[in-house]
Amino acid sequence: MVDIISSSQAIELEEKFGAHNYHPLPVVLTKGEGVFLWDVEGKRYYDFLSAYSAVNQGHCHPRIIQSLITQARELTLTSRAFYNDKLGAAEKYVCDTFGYQKALFMNSGAEANETAIKLARKWGYTKKGIPANQAVIVAVKKNFHGRTTTIISASTDPSSQNGFGPFMPGFEIVEYDNVEALEKALANPHVCGLWIEPIQGEAGVYIPAEGYLKAAEKLCRKHNVLLMMDEIQTGIARTGKMLAVDYEDVRPDLLILGKALSGGVLPISLVLADDEVMLVIKPGEHGSTFGGNPLAAAVVIEALQVVKDEKLAEAAFNLGIIFRERVNNLINNTSLIKLVRGKGLLNAIVVNDIPDSETAWTLCAQFAQHGLLAKPTHGNIIRFAPPLVITEEQLHECCDIIDSVVLHFKNP
Ligand code: PLP
């Protein structure tokens, strides 16, 4: 084992022995607590990414870590070849929390989306009467649902797709936030599902017009299509409600969750649905060795209970208003930032620059020098998504950092 003593040493090792499938900021983190991260040189940062919203409850939340340790001492994995004494309670807990009849646990977000695709297709054949192998899932432009070969088949991002074909058939892509396009696409009797994010986080925090999600739900009902909602990034209080669809009182047929289900301590994802949909999959037709393991089952209950007990949705709602107010004040005093948009504590700023310039990246490097970690999502868009446990005072301190960096910014 190599003992890491400096950032440069750690970066060198990753560069040399790791695949180059990410382009991280040159910061090497070694410790996290609440809203803070520390690098190996001992410098403290505010985390404004929260591991892409997986750490809504804050880093190493003591209650979640305790549930992990307690369960890890008893039993971690049995596979689903046998029952374990924790999974049923976790399934009941998530069904009660989100109002569904059945839950299916997986690990990564991509796997949960794959699960939803399989459920929608199987439902299409067995319940809607779509002819064999002709089911269509309608997805939207600029979506992000993960990295598997099936999921990227529905992507419109060249960096997700280029070089990775051939692609899975059975997807139709329509404009996001366009009800007319949905009306047309869903009228096709072979459509089994409409697959969307309530806010497109990865694409740059794009929020559809008010009423779009409700219209999508109504069209799904009208055309007997399943509404497949990917709340992997937006769910679990991030946008100021437990789910982003709660803003429009929408109830998806397939609710897809991941990330903050574990507060960042291990990969847990799941799909929720009612019996009519979930029970189309029979024993042996789908699964995962680690999906629904007792460790995950114990952690998911504690991680969600923390969100409820600490009222993180309300906190995100209120702090988000303050954050956007502060950035809008900044925008009045600079030409570098064009706009801020978001809901709750899922926000993005658009840098007033051509999309493929380095300015957003350079800004993030300077935020890091001043103790705040954020990253561009796409080109000139920077996402700001701190842990929801951030206090109002801390948020103001972070806004002061952002103000100061932006107002003194010089492109090197
Ligand atoms: N869906 C959405 C909306 C996401 O934001 C992400 C990850 O960022 C995923 C799916 C994929 O999740 P995972 O990286 O856990 O596979």
Side-chain angles (χ1 to χ4, degrees):
M1 185 137 137
V2 185
D3 278 333
I4 297 297
I5 46 164
S6 71
S7 292
S8 56
Q9 188 191 8
I11 292 170
E12 221 175 275
L13 272 174
E14 276 202 34
E15 287 297 311
K16 184 152 185 222
F17 294 105
H20 291 183
N21 57 334
Y22 277 91
H23 179 36
L25 279 169
V27 173
V28 179
L29 302 166
T30 185
K31 185 176 159 56
E33 193 183 312
V35 293
F36 294 115
L37 288 165
W38 284 264
D39 70 15
V40 290
E41 280 83 19
K43 182 176 165 69
R44 193 189 78 174
Y45 302 87
Y46 278 105
D47 180 2
F48 256 53
L49 185 60
S50 305
Y52 303 108
S53 297
V55 194
N56 290 356
Q57 299 89 332
H59 290 278
C60 300
H61 193 290
R63 278 177 54 188
I64 304 175
I65 296 298
Q66 192 54 54
S67 71
L68 179 85
I69 292 170
T70 305
Q71 184 58 37
R73 288 210 174 98
E74 294 297 324
L75 183 67
T76 58
L77 183 65
T78 57
S79 84
R80 298 288 303 282
F82 313 105
Y83 289 92
N84 70 66
D85 67 348
K86 293 292 177 294
L87 179 57
E91 289 168 336
K92 178 176 182 338
Y93 185 90
V94 293
C95 282
D96 289 349
T97 297
F98 296 102
Y100 287 87
Q101 291 174 334
K102 291 277 186 292
L104 198 165
F105 275 94
M106 298 295 280
N107 312 285
S108 69
E111 280 175 305
N113 273 304
E114 290 275 352
T115 304
I117 291 169
K118 285 175 75 174
L119 280 164
R121 285 180 169 181
K122 191 86 193 281
W123 173 88
Y125 299 128
T126 56
K127 304 279 180 177
K128 185 168 174 175
I130 298 172
N133 298 323
Q134 291 184 42
V136 172
I137 288 175
V138 175
V140 295
K141 288 185 183 165
K142 293 198 171 158
N143 70 71
F144 186 84
H145 299 293
R147 300 290 193 175
T148 63
T149 46
T150 292
I151 288 172
I152 63 162
S153 299
S155 176
T156 57
D157 178 358
S159 72
S160 283
Q161 280 204 329
N162 285 353
F164 301 116
F167 298 110
M168 169 72 99
F171 296 108
E172 187 189 337
I173 313 298
V174 299
E175 206 72 52
Y176 189 53
D177 197 14
N178 182 331
V179 178
E180 241 170 73
L182 281 188
E183 171 84 67
K184 239 189 245 163
L186 300 195
N188 171 359
H190 290 181
V191 172
C192 60
L194 168 64
W195 188 27
I196 46 177
E197 300 152 83
I199 293 173
Q200 293 188 317
E202 222 45 39
V205 189
Y206 286 107
I207 304 173
E210 211 181 312
Y212 172 72
L213 298 173
K214 196 73 197 168
E217 182 188 47
K218 280 194 183 139
L219 286 171
C220 283
R221 302 288 166 267
K222 178 176 163 193
H223 295 289
N224 193 24
V225 165
L226 298 181
L227 181 58
M228 309 159 62
M229 196 62 71
D230 182 346
E231 288 246 20
I232 286 170
Q233 185 161 159
T234 50
I236 329 281
R238 169 55 57 189
T239 69
K241 303 262 184 200
M242 192 58 155
L243 299 174
V245 289
D246 293 345
Y247 278 100
E248 295 197 19
D249 203 16
V250 163
R251 185 177 186 270
D253 300 294
L254 289 162
L255 175 62
I256 306 155
L257 296 172
K259 295 194 193 282
L261 279 178
S262 73
V265 310
L266 78 169
I268 307 176
S269 64
L270 69 88
V271 177
L272 288 150
D274 286 340
D275 289 351
E276 151 90 4
V277 177
M278 193 65 94
L279 296 180
V280 298
I281 284 191
K282 308 289 181 214
E285 294 179 348
H286 189 62
S288 148
T289 302
F290 279 82
N293 66 75
L295 197 53
V299 163
V300 77
I301 294 178
E302 197 62 21
L304 288 173
Q305 197 56 45
V306 163
V307 172
K308 295 177 198 177
D309 292 348
E310 299 190 9
K311 299 191 171 30
L312 295 184
E314 291 92 323
F317 185 91
N318 295 326
L319 293 170
I321 293 171
I322 294 170
F323 179 77
R324 287 184 295 281
E325 240 173 53
R326 285 283 314 250
V327 179
N328 275 318
N329 284 342
L330 172 64
I331 289 171
N332 290 335
N333 293 304
T334 178
S335 56
L336 188 62
I337 311 294
K338 198 155 60 177
L339 62 92
V340 58
R341 61 174 172 243
K343 261 191 178 157
L345 284 177
L346 180 61
N347 292 287
I349 60 169
V350 179
V351 177
N352 200 356
D353 208 347
I354 48 168
D356 57 357
S357 87
E358 291 283 307
T359 308
W361 177 269
T362 312
L363 261 174
C364 286
Q366 296 187 9
F367 290 145
Q369 279 165 15
H370 290 81
L372 185 146
L373 293 177
K375 254 199 97 180
T377 50
H378 269 81
N380 61 339
I381 303 169
I382 302 173
R383 173 176 33 201
F384 288 122
L388 310 182
V389 294
I390 191 167
T391 65
E392 188 174 333
E393 195 186 346
Q394 289 169 331
L395 186 72
H396 278 296
E397 202 184 314
C398 294
C399 291
D400 292 343
I401 295 174
I402 294 167
D403 284 1
S404 159
V405 168
V406 168
L407 293 173
H408 295 100
F409 183 76
K410 282 193 192 68
N411 230 334

